[in-house]
Amino acid sequence: MQTIKHTFIGPIRQAVTMSNLPLKGALKDEQLEVISEAGILIKNDRIHQIGNYWDLYPEAQSIGAEMVSLTQIAAIRL
């Protein structure tokens, strides 16, 4: 039986997703999806979901995801 590992990263000031973009051609700024206060939920080392941090937070808690705060990472790098 495979163990499922969840990690939740954030909050990120702004994240730009690449979803719903054309495969070819120039992109316009309006086509880019910008998420403010973003969170990234990772399942087994792959992005599972990205959205507003506070909207995803309850789900991340309920599945027991490891919480990674970007302020913790910044403090480690000092």
Side-chain angles (χ1 to χ4, degrees):
M1 183 174 187
Q2 181 183 7
T3 302
I4 298 174
K5 179 184 175 194
H6 291 95
T7 306
F8 186 54
I9 303 171
I12 301 166
R13 192 169 302 180
Q14 287 186 325
V16 177
T17 72
M18 302 305 283
S19 61
N20 303 317
L21 294 177
L23 296 176
K24 294 182 178 182
L27 298 175
K28 296 179 182 176
D29 289 345
E30 307 85 53
Q31 292 176 285
L32 300 174
E33 179 185 5
V34 178
I35 301 173
S36 297
E37 292 289 314
I40 302 172
L41 184 57
I42 299 171
K43 179 180 177 182
N44 290 335
D45 300 323
R46 293 190 180 258
I47 294 175
H48 176 66
Q49 196 171 359
I50 184 168
N52 178 275
Y53 180 84
W54 301 110
D55 291 344
L56 293 177
Y57 187 84
E59 179 182 352
Q61 274 193 317
S62 71
I63 59 176
E66 175 187 355
M67 303 291 197
V68 178
S69 168
L70 295 182
T71 55
Q72 292 172 333
I73 293 171
I76 292 170
R77 292 184 179 172
L78 292 176

